[in-house]
């Protein structure tokens, strides 16, 4: 069975601070995929990143960066210099070699001006 | 851009009513999914479909059915709505294969009175 744990249910930061959202996963698959989605107050989940289990390179996209560590089964997401527009619920998700994807319960991020 | 649309953003129904939630995608995706999202529980898969007229149960199919008569359209049916089905319903689509990126619609907030 697959499992995704997002231990931080809510985080508040002041604008311009850096923030890291944690994601720990469990799977028995040797090939799997990890995702991050953003859900702003409007409700629609927005895809941010998909990473396969064979690619442990960290990724940076503007103020966003992702740290994938197979040794600790973690796929953490860092926002640098946070902005009010980053306020949202962020979901980490895990998929194996089939269509189904398991989502974490989400981390609500509030960026205070 | 992938476009997934849902027939209603907000819906209010009475207990016992039959409810139809419609989802349409315009990217010729093979897979389509229905989730419900509840606070503290994240996204839970109700049903998914990997082809026209094909469906598979997700984690919480009880009280729901689905229909996929055309590739672009996936309907979720609540045969007899109950108050515990009050929730946010999210539709998603993806290409075929394992754990492909899912693209989400804006969601339908359903209130059952």
């Amino acid at each position: 069975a697959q499992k995704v744990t997002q231990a931080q249910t809510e985080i508040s930061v002041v604008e311009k601070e850096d923030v890291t959202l944690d994601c720990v996963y469990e799977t028995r698959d040797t090939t799997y995929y990890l995702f991050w989605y953003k859900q702003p107050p409007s409700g629609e989940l927005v895809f941010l990143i998909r990473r396969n289990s064979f690619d442990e390179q960290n990724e940076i996209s503007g103020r966003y960066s992702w740290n994938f560590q197979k040794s600790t089964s973690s796929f953490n997401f860092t926002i640098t210099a946070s902005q009010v527009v980053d306020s949202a619920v962020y979901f980490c998700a895990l998929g194996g070699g089939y269509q189904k994807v398991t989502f974490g319960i989400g981390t609500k991020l509030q960026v205070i001006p | 851009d992938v476009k997934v649309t849902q027939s209603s953003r907000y819906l209010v129904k009475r207990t016992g009513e039959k409810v139809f939630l419609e989802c349409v995608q315009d990217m010729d995706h093979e897979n389509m999914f229905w989730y419900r999202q509840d606070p503290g529980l994240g996204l839970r898969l109700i049903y998914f479909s990997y082809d026209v007229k094909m469906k598979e149960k997700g984690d919480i199919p009880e009280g729901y059915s689905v229909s996929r008569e055309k590739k672009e359209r996936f309907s979720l049916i609540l045969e007899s709505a109950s108050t515990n089905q009050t929730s946010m319903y999210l539709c998603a689509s993806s290409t075929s294969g394992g754990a492909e990126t899912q693209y989400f619609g804006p969601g339908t907030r359903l209130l059952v009175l």
Side-chain angles (χ1 to χ4, degrees), chain B residues 90-101:
Chain B
L90 293 163
C91 176
S93 72
S94 75
T95 56
S96 63
E100 297 296 330
T101 299

Side-chain angles (χ1 to χ4, degrees), chain A residues 2 26-32 53 94-98:
Chain A
Q2 297 186 129
E26 295 176 31
T27 181
R28 292 182 179 175
D29 293 332
T30 52
T31 301
Y32 53 90
S53 52
L94 167 68
Y98 41 84

Side-chain angles (χ1 to χ4, degrees), chain B residues 49-65:
Chain B
S49 169
Y50 51 90
D51 202 350
V52 174
K53 297 191 186 295
M54 307 303 289
K55 61 184 179 184
E56 282 205 25
K57 293 180 180 179
D59 301 316
I60 51 164
E62 298 78 19
Y64 304 94
S65 62

Side-chain angles (χ1 to χ4, degrees), chain B:
Chain B
D1 276 355
V2 177
K3 191 72 175 177
V4 180
T5 57
Q6 295 183 229
S7 50
S8 305
R9 291 300 303 271
Y10 301 94
L11 212 50
V12 180
K13 296 292 181 181
R14 296 271 176 204
T15 301
E17 279 192 74
K18 192 169 186 176
V19 182
F20 293 87
L21 302 183
E22 303 281 335
C23 176
V24 178
Q25 50 95 2
D26 67 358
M27 285 304 293
D28 202 34
H29 283 170
E30 290 77 15
N31 299 332
M32 296 188 75
F33 306 81
W34 276 106
Y35 294 89
R36 65 176 281 176
Q37 181 182 3
D38 301 288
L41 297 176
L43 273 70
R44 293 180 292 166
L45 182 64
I46 304 171
Y47 269 97
F48 71 97
S49 169
Y50 51 90
D51 202 350
V52 174
K53 297 191 186 295
M54 307 303 289
K55 61 184 179 184
E56 282 205 25
K57 293 180 180 179
D59 301 316
I60 51 164
E62 298 78 19
Y64 304 94
S65 62
V66 291
S67 171
R68 193 162 180 205
E69 297 296 319
K70 293 184 177 181
K71 191 175 185 180
E72 69 271 18
R73 189 179 297 269
F74 191 34
S75 302
L76 179 69
I77 303 154
L78 286 65
E79 296 289 344
S80 177
S82 64
T83 55
N84 63 14
Q85 292 178 310
T86 291
S87 187
M88 169 75 129
Y89 290 89
L90 293 163
C91 176
S93 72
S94 75
T95 56
S96 63
E100 297 296 330
T101 299
Q102 294 183 23
Y103 295 91
F104 284 81
T108 296
R109 287 199 179 275
L110 173 65
L111 173 62
V112 182
L113 300 174

